[in-house]
mmCIF file of all heavy atoms in Angstrom:
data_model
loop_
_atom_site.group_PDB
_atom_site.id
_atom_site.type_symbol
_atom_site.label_atom_id
_atom_site.label_comp_id
_atom_site.label_asym_id
_atom_site.label_seq_id
_atom_site.Cartn_x
_atom_site.Cartn_y
_atom_site.Cartn_z
ATOM 1 N N GLY M 49 22.138 -13.232 19.088
ATOM 2 C CA GLY M 49 22.788 -11.921 19.077
ATOM 3 C C GLY M 49 24.312 -12.002 18.980
ATOM 4 O O GLY M 49 24.997 -11.030 19.001
ATOM 5 N N GLY M 51 26.070 -12.850 16.447
ATOM 6 C CA GLY M 51 26.521 -12.378 15.160
ATOM 7 C C GLY M 51 26.532 -13.497 14.118
ATOM 8 O O GLY M 51 27.155 -13.314 13.062
ATOM 9 N N LYS M 52 25.723 -14.575 14.358
ATOM 10 C CA LYS M 52 25.768 -15.702 13.363
ATOM 11 C C LYS M 52 25.155 -15.272 12.098
ATOM 12 O O LYS M 52 25.701 -15.550 10.958
ATOM 13 C CB LYS M 52 24.974 -16.865 13.956
ATOM 14 C CG LYS M 52 25.413 -17.308 15.364
ATOM 15 C CD LYS M 52 24.674 -18.538 15.888
ATOM 16 C CE LYS M 52 23.171 -18.308 16.133
ATOM 17 N NZ LYS M 52 22.846 -17.336 17.256
ATOM 18 N N THR M 53 23.856 -14.703 12.093
ATOM 19 C CA THR M 53 23.276 -14.228 10.928
ATOM 20 C C THR M 53 24.198 -13.213 10.140
ATOM 21 O O THR M 53 24.249 -13.224 8.934
ATOM 22 C CB THR M 53 21.923 -13.679 11.125
ATOM 23 O OG1 THR M 53 21.143 -14.562 11.930
ATOM 24 C CG2 THR M 53 21.257 -13.241 9.918
ATOM 25 N N THR M 54 24.789 -12.414 10.929
ATOM 26 C CA THR M 54 25.665 -11.325 10.346
ATOM 27 C C THR M 54 26.821 -12.025 9.523
ATOM 28 O O THR M 54 27.178 -11.614 8.424
ATOM 29 C CB THR M 54 26.314 -10.496 11.386
ATOM 30 O OG1 THR M 54 25.215 -10.009 12.210
ATOM 31 C CG2 THR M 54 26.972 -9.331 10.772
ATOM 32 N N GLN M 97 16.160 -16.936 8.084
ATOM 33 C CA GLN M 97 15.655 -17.357 9.368
ATOM 34 C C GLN M 97 14.111 -17.436 9.447
ATOM 35 O O GLN M 97 13.571 -18.284 10.033
ATOM 36 C CB GLN M 97 16.133 -16.279 10.413
ATOM 37 C CG GLN M 97 16.204 -16.849 11.821
ATOM 38 C CD GLN M 97 17.107 -16.033 12.774
ATOM 39 O OE1 GLN M 97 17.857 -15.041 12.199
ATOM 40 N NE2 GLN M 97 17.137 -16.301 13.998
ATOM 41 N N ASP M 174 20.108 -20.411 7.740
ATOM 42 C CA ASP M 174 20.031 -19.611 8.929
ATOM 43 C C ASP M 174 18.897 -20.285 9.781
ATOM 44 O O ASP M 174 17.754 -20.213 9.616
ATOM 45 C CB ASP M 174 19.557 -18.186 8.706
ATOM 46 C CG ASP M 174 19.872 -17.327 9.828
ATOM 47 O OD1 ASP M 174 20.262 -17.806 10.969
ATOM 48 O OD2 ASP M 174 19.781 -16.094 9.701
ATOM 49 N N GLU M 175 19.354 -21.087 10.822
ATOM 50 C CA GLU M 175 18.570 -21.740 11.743
ATOM 51 C C GLU M 175 17.432 -22.655 10.979
ATOM 52 O O GLU M 175 16.193 -22.345 11.144
ATOM 53 C CB GLU M 175 17.877 -20.835 12.738
ATOM 54 C CG GLU M 175 18.933 -20.089 13.549
ATOM 55 C CD GLU M 175 18.385 -19.329 14.659
ATOM 56 O OE1 GLU M 175 17.261 -19.556 15.098
ATOM 57 O OE2 GLU M 175 19.188 -18.512 15.271
ATOM 58 N N VAL M 206 23.729 -22.221 10.424
ATOM 59 C CA VAL M 206 23.731 -21.518 11.677
ATOM 60 C C VAL M 206 22.707 -22.155 12.573
ATOM 61 O O VAL M 206 21.518 -22.372 12.064
ATOM 62 C CB VAL M 206 23.407 -20.041 11.470
ATOM 63 C CG1 VAL M 206 22.835 -19.387 12.674
ATOM 64 C CG2 VAL M 206 24.662 -19.303 11.018
HETATM 65 MG MG1 MG C 322 20.188 -14.887 13.487
#
Side-chain angles (χ1 to χ4, degrees):
Chain M
K52 305 182 297 294
T53 302
T54 309
Q97 203 161 351
D174 199 349
E175 303 191 10
V206 158

